């Protein structure tokens, strides 16, 4: 008789429907056995299929790291590079279930250089399993990951003291490591810590109590994960939040707003506020593929319709009208830096806030945190994997909650506008009070009125190139020519500005960024005044030149690359700076020990070996005529 598999599957799915789901991550230092632990969980829970077991046996023989025994870490390490090096590089998610609970586990890397992947795995986890090698004890990565786990709002931590077989299942070692960790966690404010002695390699206390640790009476790791309270099982106390991912209008009589509920719950008839606009409306329907709902709760993906016609678009946040999120463009925030190039205050980044992307700048750093001692230290930059507190300014206001109140609406990502790589994570602490008191004052006489009075179109002509390239000489010739044409101009020269406005700045990368930011702001004000502004600055970084371009309108910026080979500029050396830099008397000198990033697509390219200053000025004039700046 053929077994009724359909009935078995339906019975299984019915049983699984009500068991609840727990999301956890494994983290810690490299070689602490994270992948082996997950592989052991999958293996002993009977979730490894026959063909996977066969492949695992073959791969284990090939890798030769376990003396012929199955290397359970290979069940998780999916990338070729991971298998070759025996490390975890990317975040690997695994889904498994027992009779008591469903699990989503994120296996995250231990290497410091892959901290960004650990942060990614932790950002959606409810519980952290932090592994420690019993023979090594707490390491810097143990402390860094614990700090990040706490910072990212995970309240429940399992300290898995692994590889206990390597220390003869020593109770003393386990208790010493546990005590040391509890003291460190208490300093962070982490109180939900459970310590379990393990050997993932031998299977001790992973899914069942081990005979090798008769002195331990607590649960196995799996039992603990199966029985701990599920976060969010009680009524979600948070206010309703729905980041709008998509405005849906499949027909003329339907307009809905799709997204995943990021907090609280909502019912038809509830009043909601649309942020940042502040308009209000009532929920008309909660639409899903399986039909309308009477209520939507956190974690559900739904489409809502509104009873009143208000303007809602992708990136907006629907909130409970009686408990809305805040709206601001200046914040104090914790920053986690994830890029090899340091975070430099003043540099422009793209900021992803929910489904909205705006420009933004870290305007200042207050301190960085030593993850070993939790000491706060003054900082001008954040290096890879450093954590600090600073101030963030956005180009447009966004709706938000403090991260501690809502992880989904309180976290932002920083993106490099050039490479499009994610370079930092931002956890919002709150708005800056000072920003709430600042308002833009409208004036009646605008840029166009001033330009008409001057009889010209304002513009920024930005000359960039190495020191000694000839920028100032060409800018001077250009201004003479424009003056002869009756144009109102002003020349901002790098050396001259450093005698006054920027005399407090040095030549570190952070100071150079601030130097250009200030000059770009001044140039933009002068354009607003109706002038043609000539800017002669080395301006070595593309990011800052692009920032200056964005500060004025399209057609108001002309980038001129004064291209002179370093050897030629060094031979000219009109101020003796190259000689002093070569002798070590000047540090951070562009072209010597500080980089110069040439423009990729300048509006005017001047080869100074082929053009004298007057001829170069004529090239720029022709370009300004083509742009419509000069008639």
């Amino acid at each position: 008789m053929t077994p009724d598999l359909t009935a078995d599957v339906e019975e299984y799915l019915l049983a699984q429907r009500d068991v609840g789901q727990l999301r956890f991550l494994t983290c810690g230092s490299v070689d602490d056995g994270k992948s082996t632990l997950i592989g052991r969980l999958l293996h002993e829970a009977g979730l490894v299929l026959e063909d996977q077991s066969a492949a695992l046996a073959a791969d284990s023989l090939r890798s030769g790291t376990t003396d012929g025994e199955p290397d359970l870490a290979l069940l998780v390490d999916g990338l070729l590079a991971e298998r070759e090096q025996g490390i975890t590089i990317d975040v690997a998610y695994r889904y498994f279930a027992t009779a008591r609970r469903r699990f989503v586990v994120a296996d995250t890397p231990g290497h410091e250089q892959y901290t960004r992947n650990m942060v990614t795995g932790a950002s959606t986890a409810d519980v952290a399993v932090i592994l420690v090698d019993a023979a090594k004890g707490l390491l810097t990565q143990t402390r860094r990951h614990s700090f990040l786990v706490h910072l990212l709002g995970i309240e429940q931590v399992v300290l898995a003291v692994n590889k206990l077989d390597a220390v003869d299942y020593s109770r003393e070692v386990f208790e010493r490591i546990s005590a040391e960790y509890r003291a460190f966690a208490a300093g962070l404010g982490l109180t939900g810590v459970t310590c379990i002695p393990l050997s993932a390699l031998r299977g001790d206390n992973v899914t069942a109590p081990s005979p090798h640790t008769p002195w331990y009476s607590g649960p196995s790791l799996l039992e603990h994960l199966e029985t701990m309270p599920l976060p969010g099982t009680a009524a979600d106390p948070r206010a309703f939040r729905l980041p709008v991912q998509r405005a849906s209008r499949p027909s003329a009589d339907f307009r809905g707003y799709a997204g995943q509920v990021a907090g609280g719950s909502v019912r038809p008839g509830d009043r909601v506020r649309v942020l940042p606009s502040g308009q209000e409306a009532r929920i008309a329907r909660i639409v899903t593929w399986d039909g309308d709902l009477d209520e939507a709760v956190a974690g559900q993906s739904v489409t809502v319709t509104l009873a009143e016609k208000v303007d809602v678009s992708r990136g907006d946040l629907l909130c409970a009208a009686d408990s809305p999120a805040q709206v601001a463009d200046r914040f104090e925030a914790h920053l986690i830096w994830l890029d090899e190039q340091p975070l430099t205050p003043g540099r422009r980044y793209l900021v992803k806030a929910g489904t909205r992307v705006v420009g933004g700048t870290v305007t200042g750093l207050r301190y960085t945190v030593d993850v070993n001692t939790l000491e706060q230290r003054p900082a001008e930059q954040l290096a890879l994997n450093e954590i600090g507190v600073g101030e963030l300014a956005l180009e447009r206001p966004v709706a938000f909650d403090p991260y501690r109140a809502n992880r989904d609406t309180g976290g932002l990502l920083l993106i490099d506008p050039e490479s499009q790589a994610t370079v930092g994570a931002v956890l919002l602490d709150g708005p800056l009070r000072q920003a709430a008191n600042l308002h833009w004052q409208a004036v009646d006489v605008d840029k166009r009125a001033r330009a008409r009075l001057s009889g010209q179109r304002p513009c920024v002509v930005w000359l960039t190139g190495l020191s000694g390239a000839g920028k100032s000489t060409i800018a001077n010739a250009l201004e003479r020519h424009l003056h002869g044409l009756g144009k109102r101009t002003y020349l901002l020269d790098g050396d001259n500005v450093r005698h006054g406005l920027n005399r407090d700045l040095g030549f570190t990368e952070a100071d150079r960024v601030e130097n250009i930011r200030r000059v770009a702001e001044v140039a933009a004000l002068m354009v607003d005044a109706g002038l043609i502004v000539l800017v002669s600055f080395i301006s070595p970084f593309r990011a800052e030149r692009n920032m200056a371009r964005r500060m004025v309108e399209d057609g108001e910026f002309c980038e001129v690359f004064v291209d002179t080979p370093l050897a030629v500029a060094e031979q000219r050396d009109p101020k003796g700076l190259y000689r002093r830099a070569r002798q070590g008397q000047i540090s951070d000198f562009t072209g010597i020990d500080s980089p110069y990033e040439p423009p990729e697509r300048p509006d005017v390219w001047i080869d100074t070996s082929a053009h004298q200053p007057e001829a170069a000025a004529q090239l720029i004039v022709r370009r300004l005529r083509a742009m419509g700046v000069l008639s």
Side-chain angles (χ1 to χ4, degrees):
M1 181 177 176
T2 304
D4 186 358
L5 295 179
T6 302
D8 291 344
V9 171
E10 289 180 350
E11 183 180 352
Y12 173 78
L13 293 176
L14 188 63
Q16 285 292 305
R17 189 183 61 181
D18 301 322
V19 298
Q21 175 176 285
L22 183 73
R23 299 181 69 99
F24 71 95
L25 83 152
T26 57
C27 56
S29 191
V30 65
D31 287 335
D32 280 349
K34 298 177 290 298
S35 299
T36 301
L37 175 61
I38 297 175
R40 174 67 65 182
L41 276 171
L42 298 175
H43 181 264
E44 295 197 2
L47 299 168
V48 181
L49 303 178
E50 289 184 8
D51 59 336
Q52 289 177 308
S53 295
L56 176 64
D59 290 343
S60 300
L61 285 174
R62 194 176 302 117
S63 63
T65 57
T66 51
D67 296 329
E69 294 293 321
D71 184 353
L72 297 174
L74 298 179
L75 287 171
V76 183
D77 291 337
L79 299 178
L80 178 61
E82 292 178 329
R83 291 175 172 238
E84 288 176 344
Q85 301 177 52
I87 62 171
T88 300
I89 296 175
D90 205 350
V91 184
Y93 292 96
R94 289 293 182 274
Y95 305 82
F96 68 97
T98 66
R100 290 175 166 180
R101 186 161 285 176
R102 288 178 281 118
F103 297 96
V104 180
V105 53
D107 180 26
T108 65
H111 276 81
E112 188 173 336
Q113 71 185 95
Y114 301 125
T115 297
R116 70 165 63 195
N117 297 339
M118 179 270 169
V119 171
T120 299
S123 64
T124 57
D126 305 312
V127 179
V129 178
I130 300 177
L131 281 87
V132 174
D133 186 330
K136 299 177 182 176
L138 305 190
L139 301 175
T140 297
Q141 276 298 75
T142 316
R143 297 185 175 91
R144 175 179 283 112
H145 283 185
S146 299
F147 188 89
L148 288 169
V149 159
H150 173 63
L151 203 58
L152 291 165
I154 298 175
E155 302 294 341
Q156 296 295 322
V157 169
V158 178
L159 183 75
V161 184
N162 192 28
K163 302 187 180 181
L164 213 64
D165 56 306
V167 294
D168 296 328
Y169 298 97
S170 168
R171 177 177 187 174
E172 180 185 357
V173 170
F174 171 71
E175 292 183 344
R176 175 174 52 79
I177 292 175
S178 299
E180 186 180 354
Y181 185 80
R182 287 185 188 280
F184 177 76
L188 291 174
L190 268 174
T191 55
V193 176
T194 301
C195 302
I196 300 178
L198 288 177
S199 170
L201 183 65
R202 306 297 177 199
D204 297 296
N205 292 325
V206 176
T207 61
S210 168
H212 297 115
T213 56
W215 42 264
Y216 174 70
S217 58
S220 69
L221 175 63
L222 183 60
E223 182 184 3
H224 178 70
L225 295 174
E226 285 181 324
T227 56
M228 65 185 305
L230 283 174
T233 49
D236 189 347
R238 298 175 298 173
F240 170 67
R241 301 285 186 264
L242 178 69
V244 177
Q245 295 178 334
R246 179 169 174 261
S248 173
R249 196 174 188 189
S251 64
D253 57 354
F254 183 92
R255 181 189 291 271
Y257 307 103
Q260 185 177 59
V261 180
S265 61
V266 70
R267 290 173 169 273
D270 286 353
R271 198 152 190 84
V272 295
R273 183 174 297 179
V274 184
L275 294 178
S277 72
Q279 301 174 89
E280 293 191 8
R282 284 177 298 109
I283 297 288
R285 294 172 57 196
I286 302 173
V287 182
T288 72
W289 179 261
D290 297 321
D292 285 12
L293 301 179
D294 295 330
E295 183 181 32
V297 299
Q300 284 185 300
S301 295
V302 297
T303 296
V304 300
T305 66
L306 302 178
E308 292 82 14
K309 291 183 178 178
V310 296
D311 183 18
V312 183
S313 58
R314 174 180 166 82
D316 286 342
L317 183 67
L318 301 183
C319 306
D322 58 356
S323 186
Q326 303 176 63
V327 176
D329 60 0
R330 301 285 190 278
F331 307 93
E332 179 173 314
H334 279 76
L335 304 159
I336 306 167
W337 196 244
L338 307 171
D339 193 55
E340 293 183 356
Q341 295 297 319
L343 164 65
T344 302
R347 180 159 290 170
R348 183 180 186 271
Y349 299 97
L350 298 178
V351 181
K352 190 170 188 300
T355 53
R356 174 163 292 177
V357 178
V358 302
T361 303
V362 176
T363 55
L365 287 173
R366 295 187 178 179
Y367 59 83
T368 183
V369 179
D370 185 316
V371 297
N372 285 307
T373 63
L374 305 183
E375 180 186 0
Q376 299 174 0
R377 298 173 177 170
E380 293 186 351
Q381 293 184 317
L382 284 185
L384 175 68
N385 297 323
E386 280 196 315
I387 302 162
V389 170
E391 296 179 0
L392 178 71
L394 304 186
E395 294 171 358
R396 284 184 294 163
V398 298
F400 79 100
D401 293 294
Y403 187 83
R404 282 289 165 192
N406 191 312
R407 294 166 66 181
D408 294 300
T409 55
L412 313 176
L413 294 176
L414 294 180
I415 299 169
D416 186 322
E418 306 294 328
S419 66
Q420 297 294 307
T422 298
V423 293
V426 179
L427 313 180
L428 297 176
D429 296 326
L432 291 175
R433 182 175 299 175
Q434 179 185 10
N437 300 323
L438 296 177
H439 304 280
W440 187 263
Q441 180 65 47
V443 295
D444 296 329
V445 179
D446 62 10
K447 175 171 62 178
R448 283 162 184 75
R450 299 185 191 101
R452 279 197 300 274
L453 192 63
S454 301
Q456 63 185 46
R457 241 187 95 184
C459 174
V460 174
V461 180
W462 193 285
L463 295 96
T464 175
L466 294 170
S467 176
K471 300 180 298 299
S472 296
T473 304
I474 294 172
N476 198 34
L478 176 61
E479 187 170 36
R480 283 200 308 272
H481 191 97
L482 294 175
H483 188 73
L485 294 175
K487 302 301 177 185
R488 299 181 64 192
T489 62
Y490 195 83
L491 171 56
L492 293 168
D493 184 84
D495 281 359
N496 294 351
V497 173
R498 278 189 177 271
H499 278 85
L501 176 67
N502 291 354
R503 65 184 173 188
D504 59 320
L505 299 177
F507 290 89
T508 64
E509 184 173 343
D511 281 351
R512 285 167 175 243
V513 170
E514 175 62 12
N515 185 40
I516 300 302
R517 188 194 69 79
R518 291 185 193 177
V519 169
E521 291 278 4
V522 170
L525 286 173
M526 288 184 168
V527 165
D528 198 56
L531 302 180
I532 298 174
V533 190
L534 314 182
V535 180
S536 173
F537 273 63
I538 296 173
S539 46
F541 304 115
R542 294 190 192 102
E544 280 62 66
R545 297 195 298 266
N546 289 337
M547 172 194 67
R549 180 186 290 272
R550 283 188 292 269
M551 285 186 177
V552 295
E553 297 180 27
D554 290 345
E556 292 182 344
F557 193 91
C558 178
E559 185 179 45
V560 179
F561 179 28
V562 182
D563 188 6
T564 300
L566 175 61
V568 175
E570 198 165 352
Q571 186 177 19
R572 293 175 182 168
D573 203 11
K575 303 169 187 172
L577 299 177
Y578 283 104
R579 176 178 52 78
R580 293 176 58 196
R582 290 294 186 189
Q583 292 174 348
Q585 298 174 13
I586 301 177
S587 60
D588 299 319
F589 194 82
T590 301
I592 303 299
D593 56 352
S594 185
Y596 177 79
E597 299 173 351
E600 295 176 323
R601 293 183 294 276
D603 298 289
V604 180
W605 177 61
I606 294 173
D607 179 357
T608 58
S609 65
H611 297 92
Q612 294 299 310
E614 289 296 335
Q618 289 293 340
L619 284 178
I620 301 171
V621 167
R622 282 202 289 273
R623 178 59 182 171
L624 294 178
R625 291 189 192 284
M627 293 170 60
V629 173
L630 302 178
S631 56

